Amino acid sequence: MRYLFLVFLITALIISCSSGLVFSGEFENVLEKAEQGNSTAQNYLGLMYVKGQGVNQDYRKAIQWFEKAAEQGNPSAHNSLGLMYYKGKGVSKNYNKAIHWFTKASKLGYAGAQYNLGMMYYIGRNDPFDGNGVAQDYQEAFHWFKKAADQGNPSAHNSLGIMYYKGHGVEQNYITSYIWNYKSIKLGNQNAIQFRKKILKKLTQEQIAETEAEITKLKEKADASKEEKK
């Protein structure tokens, strides 16, 4: 569980710094576009305030720009607001509101939010004082991880591997766990490399051979797909 939680925190920080569109990087340039009503610029400006990029760090101003972008249906801004409420940056920490914004972004197909939502359900993010948030629900977690993974989110691939490794919400299967982990690593998730070592300790030589055969099929399928696109 500790491993998954650390992965969530790292990934959340990465997601919060992505906007979907890169501007020239100058604060004035982004501000001008944001004031003209460009929702992507508004979200990006919010991220600049979060990071203190070209401007003094100001979480409250970040929230204001995220909200402007969210009003226009920008899914990245929805996710950004979810992260701000999750971490209590510029606003009081509120898991209910984090869930609200992650869900809005997830339903719009935003893979990063789908992963974040999956993590909240996997961990079971409840505030011990007022109970706001969500109870642990492996089925919901699997549902959102799978949606994110289908869009190529590497952390979601690894999280599915962990669920199969632990038998959380699915039948325990080390071979399937390894395959999801393999896909995650191929997509560049460095956090998945350490976890692979744990899976290998659970596999017999026969299972390793079976796993390698499945991976070979995946490679052949990927190569065939590339050829078709040429």
Side-chain angles (χ1 to χ4, degrees):
M1 183 67 75
R2 175 174 169 77
Y3 173 83
L4 254 176
F5 183 61
L6 289 174
V7 171
F8 170 71
L9 292 180
I10 293 167
T11 306
L13 287 172
I14 293 170
I15 294 169
S16 73
C17 293
S18 64
S19 68
L21 179 64
V22 178
F23 290 89
S24 66
E26 294 294 332
F27 175 77
E28 290 78 10
N29 179 47
V30 180
L31 177 62
E32 180 182 1
K33 288 182 172 62
E35 290 178 335
Q36 291 171 354
N38 184 307
S39 69
T40 306
Q42 291 168 344
N43 182 62
Y44 192 84
L45 186 61
L47 296 173
M48 293 182 80
Y49 274 113
V50 168
K51 295 185 292 179
Q53 177 186 327
V55 65
N56 291 332
Q57 189 178 61
D58 191 325
Y59 293 136
R60 294 197 175 190
K61 286 187 178 178
I63 289 286
Q64 291 172 4
W65 285 108
F66 289 149
E67 287 176 341
K68 286 181 181 293
E71 287 172 3
Q72 298 190 65
N74 185 295
S76 184
H78 293 153
N79 184 59
S80 297
L81 284 169
L83 288 165
M84 299 298 275
Y85 278 108
Y86 180 87
K87 295 189 284 186
K89 300 294 186 181
V91 290
S92 297
K93 183 181 290 189
N94 189 310
Y95 292 143
N96 278 346
K97 290 185 177 180
I99 282 285
H100 167 77
W101 288 111
F102 286 151
T103 300
K104 283 180 74 75
S106 294
K107 289 182 177 179
L108 289 170
Y110 193 81
Q114 291 169 342
Y115 173 77
N116 287 340
L117 188 57
M119 280 308 305
M120 290 194 76
Y121 279 112
Y122 186 85
I123 296 170
R125 279 332 237 162
N126 277 319
D127 190 300
F129 297 103
D130 60 21
N132 85 73
V134 292
Q136 189 175 63
D137 188 329
Y138 291 144
Q139 296 301 322
E140 277 294 305
F142 186 91
H143 170 77
W144 291 112
F145 285 152
K146 184 63 167 59
K147 281 190 172 293
D150 287 344
Q151 295 193 70
N153 184 286
S155 294
H157 281 82
N158 195 46
S159 294
L160 288 170
I162 291 171
M163 292 190 79
Y164 276 105
Y165 178 87
K166 293 179 175 290
H168 287 168
V170 291
E171 185 177 348
Q172 189 176 55
N173 189 315
Y174 295 132
I175 293 175
T176 304
S177 173
Y178 187 93
I179 291 171
W180 280 111
N181 173 263
Y182 165 81
K183 291 178 179 178
S184 180
I185 294 171
K186 290 292 288 183
L187 288 168
N189 186 359
Q190 296 299 305
N191 296 312
I193 295 174
Q194 192 65 28
F195 182 59
R196 177 172 57 183
K197 296 175 184 177
K198 294 183 67 174
I199 306 172
L200 285 171
K201 291 179 181 178
K202 297 290 186 178
L203 294 171
T204 65
Q205 288 301 313
E206 291 78 9
Q207 288 175 320
I208 289 173
E210 185 179 343
T211 301
E212 289 176 348
E214 289 296 323
I215 288 174
T216 298
K217 290 178 184 178
L218 287 173
K219 289 179 179 178
E220 290 174 349
K221 185 177 179 179
D223 291 341
S225 180
K226 288 179 182 178
E227 287 296 322
E228 289 177 1
K229 292 178 180 179
K230 288 183 179 180

